[in-house]
Amino acid sequence: MVHEYQDLITIFDQTFYQSFNTRLELGGDEPIYLPADERVDYHRIIFARGYYASALHEIAHWCVAGPKRRLLEDFGYWYEPDGRSAQVQAEFEKVEIRPQAYEWILALSAGFPFNVSCDNLHGDIEPDRLGFMTKVHQEVMSILDSGIPPRVAALSDALRAFYHTPALTPEQFIIK
């Protein structure tokens, strides 16, 4: 299955531009979320370097953010760059569980491979990738049990329709 970022841009825009005044856009080296301002009258989710996975990840953060956060650059979240200590890495992973669970749901909806991102290649510790994946998996199971939130569900449905993937079931989410 071929995954072109332009398809994801189109699917996202068709799903959310009218209702949320938000567009998905190709960016450069670093992703960023920019709310509408005096120069651009719509909100922009800008993903890095044409990577499909980057777009899914940034969309997942947008799906987590509530209405007030969606009015702030990068949703007002902190970001500690690569090279984090063990304590800061643990804090990073704690806030990344929900977005990466949404990302996994969206990736599977698109038939796209999902890998958790510990995002700390140059830190003073080796992240426990399997442990983090297990936490993200538990979050996915909880979301499936309680009901996928509306924006995630809308995009999941649109992706599954475009890529002709089956309805999501808990058994499809495999820790590897």
Side-chain angles (χ1 to χ4, degrees):
M1 186 178 304
V2 177
H3 291 88
E4 300 288 340
Y5 71 80
Q6 188 57 52
D7 293 332
L8 187 54
I9 288 172
T10 300
I11 294 164
F12 184 90
D13 282 0
Q14 289 172 348
T15 307
F16 296 117
Y17 181 61
Q18 292 282 329
S19 55
F20 286 91
N21 193 38
T22 304
R23 291 209 140 129
L24 180 64
E25 296 183 354
L26 171 63
D29 289 340
E30 294 297 325
I32 190 167
Y33 172 79
L34 298 171
D37 59 24
E38 61 280 345
R39 291 185 347 267
V40 180
D41 66 353
Y42 58 88
H43 310 295
R44 294 171 285 160
I45 302 169
I46 301 172
F47 64 100
R49 302 185 193 133
Y51 294 142
Y52 197 94
S54 173
L56 288 177
H57 186 78
E58 297 313 311
I59 291 168
H61 276 284
W62 178 79
C63 288
V64 170
K68 290 181 182 176
R69 288 240 183 227
R70 292 194 307 268
L71 297 177
L72 303 172
E73 183 174 315
D74 261 352
F75 313 110
Y77 296 139
W78 67 274
Y79 178 75
E80 185 77 24
D82 191 351
R84 293 182 285 275
S85 67
Q87 178 184 351
V88 175
Q89 181 66 21
E91 292 171 22
F92 170 83
E93 289 179 9
K94 185 177 175 184
V95 299
E96 279 288 313
I97 291 171
R98 170 70 44 135
Q100 292 202 30
Y102 287 175
E103 181 183 350
W104 197 353
I105 290 167
L106 296 174
L108 193 58
S109 298
F112 188 79
F114 171 76
N115 293 298
V116 292
S117 174
C118 296
D119 200 21
N120 198 24
L121 299 174
H122 303 292
D124 62 1
I125 57 122
E126 179 67 32
D128 179 3
R129 188 185 164 290
L130 186 57
F132 183 51
M133 180 92 175
T134 300
K135 291 174 186 174
V136 172
H137 183 267
Q138 290 168 343
E139 185 70 12
V140 168
M141 294 301 108
S142 175
I143 292 166
L144 293 178
D145 187 51
S146 62
I148 299 174
R151 284 180 287 154
V152 180
L155 189 54
S156 172
D157 290 346
L159 291 167
R160 287 186 305 99
F162 183 84
Y163 291 105
H164 308 289
T165 57
L168 300 177
T169 64
E171 298 76 27
Q172 293 168 310
F173 295 88
I174 300 167
I175 298 173
K176 39 183 164 172

